[in-house]
Amino acid sequence: MHGVHQLFNGVKKIMSNVIQVLFNSLRLGSIVALATLGIVLIFRTSRATNFAQGTIGTFNAFIAAYFSIRVGLSVWTSMLIALVTAFIMGVVIDKLFIRPAAKANPVSKQILTLGIILILVGIMNSSIGFLNTVFPSVTVRPQPFFTTEMQILGARVGHNTLFIFGLTIFLMAVIFFVIQKTRWGLATRATASNEPIARLMGVPTKTITMFSWAIAAMLAAIAGISLAPGPGIDVNLLLGVQISAFFAAVFGGFSTFFGPVVAAYLLGFAISLGAFVFSTMGGSAVFAEILVYTLVLVILYFKPFGLFGKPPVRKV
Amino acid sequence: MEKAKIILTKMYEVFKRSPQLHFVFVGIVLIIIGRIVVSGSSHTNINILAEVVIYAVVALGLNLLLGFSGLVSLSTAAFMGITTNSMYVFMVDYEISFLMAALMAMIICGLLGLIVGLLSLKMEGIYLGIATLFIGHITIRVIEAFDIFARGNLRRFPQITYFFDFQRSILIRDQRIDLYTLVVIAMVLMFIVIYNIFKSPTGRSLMAISRSQHAALAMGISVRKYRLLAFVIATTVASFGGVLHVAYFQTTGASGKWGLGLSLIILSVVVIGGMKSFHGMLLGSFIIIGIPALYLRDIPFLSGFDDILTGLLIVLVILFYPYGAMQIGYDLKKLYYKAKAKYKARVVKRDE
């Protein structure tokens, strides 16, 4: 009887640990999911691999932090302001850089986004008075949305984590609904599947592409603002997220919108769990990442277009 | 006198026909520039020149992949990092000679390239690009995980004996020019080797695959074999760049340096310089790495804006010269001929 009780307690402890890891990975998973959705949106509508997603997010996270810390507005108002600037930024980037290069090959477009990264990083690193107050060179740590915690199934979960997760799921639901059910979504899907033909059929592909950039920039801004309270904002805030988002996009499959999102959570959870297991066994947490990514590579060898992706149809 | 003229014209003919001699000529010019720079007031600029040369070599390797076979790699910098770190282990921990360590590091990178190549048989486009990013990311994480690599921290090599008893140190100002000369000679050799690969049946097959895989298959070219080969060559050349980094800078470089950012910079050197171009790699490398470090930083009004200007430069070149900055030369030539024709027409008109 005693043994059974002990076993039960042990299982319960392991379970609560796993649940704790699950909740811990939710926040980062959500942030990666937001970033990856933006990347997929842009890739599908303008055939560009957006390396600047992370930098755009960091830029707007700085703006949100400026308004909440320096100006003294509430976290919510400053987030709204950052979303507006992100929207404008997406439109400007599309108008100035992406649209004129519509005929460039995909690799040139990748490098174009590198150019955007360099310009934004240059602005953020600038030491001119006004820019230096908005983008200080010291790390700033804004307030999280919530600071309270609650207890779920024996695991401690911050309200902030739950809010970010809820927000992500809500945004995903809205975006999926719009893409699947509305005229606007139909136009987006048409642009994604074949841009020239869609244009010939009267779809305003330029507007679609522009709004995709704007929405992607807003998603990046939310990702940046959500991540900022943890490590604090510096220029490389979303660098790791950016790379994880790429991995999630490929693992889930670029050709669907939900695959990358699922993959983002899956990868986040697998790496957190692996890190937990390795650190309890006395190893280094870095090995978890190595192991998970190697496994993903092996899976990709057998499913080269991702878990949910379909191979593109190719005609001779 | 007459004889000398004939010999000179003959020599010029030979020079004109042989691109290998062009590379040698460029190398000599680079060495002369280096000698002028190093004896001047801002002698540390020789480091930037060396960097330009090293990244030109790496970019040429990537160009073979991107320009000649249409495949993308986003882990070029990671292979350089693997080379520098494994060379440190070979040379300092196992006391192997420089050349042997370089060879072994290049073989390791070649094998890693084979793995990337295997993935490339299944994947296309951006999927492949990010798969290569995976491999680079994993290997850099491995370097950061183990103590024999000092967990990815920067380490300085003790005195390196390059070959026989040729010993130089970058820390001594007068010896830098010798190291720079060594790097430039290596660059010229690598350019010639890659040019010959490009002109060989292998290069032609790669070119055919990049244009149309189906047509290439129909002509009896094994796409599998040449894709693998392209990746092995490209990673080996990237690794050679790492060897040059060790040879000149004599450090392993911190693991953060060899990430996606540097790989993108190398990719931008290829795009800016122009795909399928050889001298373009030097030009691209100079535009992306040389100009910001050499000039933009020194102009007081523009200091702090060098990143922005580099970004703008990249954007402008891609928007206006989608086939690379070497195109500017052709445009200038065209303008010159146009102006000449106009001038001639005017002269003829006036004479009438």
Side-chain angles (χ1 to χ4, degrees):
Chain A
M1 200 60 204
H2 186 69
V4 172
H5 192 70
Q6 219 170 21
L7 189 72
F8 182 70
N9 263 348
V11 170
K12 202 172 153 191
K13 199 174 174 202
I14 290 170
M15 276 306 289
S16 79
N17 274 332
V18 170
I19 289 171
Q20 183 75 56
V21 170
L22 178 69
F23 280 117
N24 287 350
S25 70
L26 268 190
R27 195 173 73 97
L28 203 58
S30 305
I31 291 164
V32 172
L34 286 170
T36 194
L37 193 65
I39 289 172
V40 172
L41 204 62
I42 287 173
F43 181 76
R44 302 281 310 270
T45 49
S46 50
R47 297 272 156 224
T49 316
N50 185 12
F51 287 102
Q53 185 79 349
T55 316
I56 293 171
T58 311
F59 192 92
N60 290 295
F62 262 119
I63 291 176
Y66 171 75
F67 279 106
S68 69
I69 296 173
R70 281 299 185 96
V71 181
L73 299 175
S74 77
V75 186
W76 307 101
T77 330
S78 43
M79 182 163 115
L80 271 181
I81 293 171
L83 283 182
V84 172
T85 55
F87 187 91
I88 295 168
M89 210 165 146
V91 171
V92 167
I93 286 175
D94 181 61
K95 278 273 167 210
L96 277 188
F97 303 129
I98 305 299
R99 184 52 52 188
K103 290 214 174 74
N105 61 345
V107 179
S108 296
K109 281 188 188 170
Q110 285 177 18
I111 296 308
L112 208 60
T113 60
L114 172 71
I116 296 169
I117 293 180
L118 288 176
I119 293 171
L120 291 181
V121 167
I123 293 173
M124 286 192 274
N125 280 335
S126 166
S127 53
I128 291 176
F130 167 69
L131 288 176
N132 204 21
T133 45
V134 183
F135 308 106
S137 43
V138 291
T139 309
V140 282
R141 194 166 276 116
Q143 283 287 314
F145 300 112
F146 300 99
T147 46
T148 47
E149 281 186 345
M150 65 188 283
Q151 206 85 9
I152 299 177
L153 298 170
R156 279 188 16 246
V157 188
H159 279 134
N160 196 36
T161 303
L162 286 180
F163 171 73
I164 291 168
F165 179 60
L167 183 70
T168 308
I169 296 297
F170 172 72
L171 284 173
M172 302 280 156
V174 170
I175 288 172
F176 287 147
F177 176 78
V178 169
I179 283 175
Q180 294 298 336
K181 300 285 178 197
T182 60
R183 274 177 73 83
W184 182 260
L186 190 65
T188 309
R189 275 183 292 148
T191 310
S193 97
N194 193 334
E195 206 253 330
I197 301 287
R199 200 171 58 233
L200 288 176
M201 301 298 284
V203 175
T205 51
K206 282 187 183 179
T207 324
I208 296 283
T209 313
M210 192 179 80
F211 271 94
S212 303
W213 273 93
I215 290 168
M218 282 160 77
L219 289 172
I222 297 173
I225 295 165
S226 307
L227 185 63
I233 308 179
D234 61 7
V235 176
N236 295 326
L237 173 71
L238 286 173
L239 196 69
V241 169
Q242 167 90 41
I243 290 173
S244 310
F246 273 133
F247 291 165
V250 164
F251 187 41
F254 261 107
S255 54
T256 62
F257 281 109
F258 72 94
V261 176
V262 175
Y265 282 110
L266 208 63
L267 281 181
F269 179 58
I271 290 172
S272 304
L273 190 67
F276 173 71
V277 171
F278 271 111
S279 52
T280 45
M281 289 193 326
S284 167
V286 184
F287 289 110
E289 208 180 322
I290 295 170
L291 195 71
V292 169
Y293 284 157
T294 312
L295 211 63
V296 170
L297 263 187
V298 173
I299 294 173
L300 279 179
Y301 183 74
F302 293 105
K303 284 187 78 66
F305 296 99
L307 283 182
F308 305 98
K310 284 165 279 180
V313 183
R314 194 188 291 158
K315 290 168 189 153
V316 181
Chain B
M1 195 58 208
E2 211 48 12
K3 229 174 192 177
K5 212 176 174 185
I6 290 169
I7 290 171
L8 269 177
T9 42
K10 240 182 196 168
M11 272 171 76
Y12 180 70
E13 280 296 307
V14 169
F15 179 76
K16 221 174 154 185
R17 281 207 205 121
S18 151
Q20 282 92 337
L21 282 180
H22 289 188
F23 299 143
V24 174
F25 176 72
V26 168
I28 292 168
V29 170
L30 279 173
I31 291 172
I32 292 169
I33 293 174
R35 290 213 170 258
I36 294 168
V37 166
V38 86
S39 55
S41 56
S42 50
H43 56 91
T44 45
N45 280 349
I46 191 82
N47 291 352
I48 298 160
L49 276 183
E51 212 167 359
V52 167
V53 170
I54 290 170
Y55 287 111
V57 173
V58 178
L60 192 63
L62 186 61
N63 200 344
L64 192 82
L65 201 62
L66 191 69
F68 298 131
S69 27
L71 303 165
V72 177
S73 168
L74 291 175
S75 53
T76 326
F79 289 115
M80 291 179 77
I82 294 162
T83 308
T84 57
N85 278 290
S86 55
M87 275 182 79
Y88 189 93
V89 172
F90 290 145
M91 285 169 65
V92 179
D93 297 349
Y94 293 99
E95 295 179 345
I96 297 170
S97 71
F98 175 82
L99 288 178
M100 203 59 207
L103 193 67
M104 282 160 73
M106 277 160 73
I107 289 171
I108 290 174
C109 282
L111 290 176
L112 280 170
L114 204 63
I115 298 177
V116 184
L118 278 177
L119 280 169
S120 83
L121 296 180
K122 295 264 186 168
M123 302 167 114
E124 291 288 334
I126 188 58
Y127 285 91
L128 179 60
I130 293 174
T132 60
L133 183 61
F134 258 108
I135 291 186
H137 191 75
I138 291 171
T139 38
I140 292 300
R141 278 282 180 274
V142 168
I143 286 172
E144 282 171 353
F146 287 101
D147 284 328
I148 48 163
F149 298 117
R151 295 193 178 267
N153 287 318
L154 184 140
R155 288 188 289 181
R156 182 164 283 284
F157 284 76
Q159 188 77 309
I160 299 179
T161 311
Y162 290 92
F163 40 79
F164 308 122
D165 51 358
F166 182 78
Q167 269 191 350
R168 294 290 184 272
S169 167
I170 185 172
L171 299 176
I172 300 165
R173 183 178 157 183
D174 296 337
Q175 297 188 356
R176 267 184 215 149
I177 186 65
D178 294 338
L179 289 175
Y180 173 76
T181 311
L182 189 74
V183 168
V184 171
I185 290 171
M187 181 207 84
V188 170
L189 287 178
M190 209 61 198
F191 267 52
I192 291 174
V193 166
I194 292 179
Y195 184 82
N196 287 345
I197 291 176
F198 167 55
K199 285 286 178 196
S200 71
T202 310
R204 295 311 188 198
S205 309
L206 288 176
M207 197 89 153
I209 292 171
S210 80
R211 291 289 162 81
S212 164
Q213 254 184 57
H214 298 279
L217 266 175
M219 297 303 289
I221 293 167
S222 162
V223 171
R224 287 167 160 269
K225 181 183 142 196
Y226 283 108
R227 276 202 161 188
L228 286 180
L229 200 63
F231 271 104
V232 171
I233 294 172
T235 46
T236 314
V237 176
S239 174
F240 187 74
V243 172
L244 291 185
H245 185 277
V246 170
Y248 187 83
F249 292 100
Q250 304 183 338
T251 62
T252 59
S255 64
K257 180 184 163 90
W258 309 113
L260 176 62
L262 188 61
S263 295
L264 281 178
I265 292 282
I266 295 167
L267 194 60
S268 69
V269 170
V270 177
V271 172
I272 297 297
M275 290 180 202
K276 300 194 179 78
S277 162
F278 282 78
H279 296 294
M281 294 305 98
L282 266 173
L283 182 68
S285 182
F286 184 72
I287 289 177
I288 304 272
I289 296 157
I291 288 181
L294 284 174
Y295 298 108
L296 299 183
R297 239 160 249 171
D298 294 340
I299 303 170
F301 175 68
L302 292 176
S303 68
F305 282 107
D306 48 339
D307 265 347
I308 302 179
L309 287 172
T310 319
L312 275 179
L313 217 58
I314 290 176
V315 169
L316 289 177
V317 169
I318 287 176
L319 290 187
F320 295 105
Y321 290 96
Y323 299 107
M326 282 308 258
Q327 208 76 23
I328 295 174
Y330 297 120
D331 273 14
L332 287 178
K333 236 185 216 167
K334 235 200 258 159
L335 268 179
Y336 168 70
Y337 284 125
K338 234 183 193 172
K340 208 172 159 188
K342 233 180 193 173
Y343 177 73
K344 260 189 184 165
R346 199 178 286 164
V347 167
V348 169
K349 221 176 187 179
R350 198 184 56 198
D351 288 353
E352 276 173 359

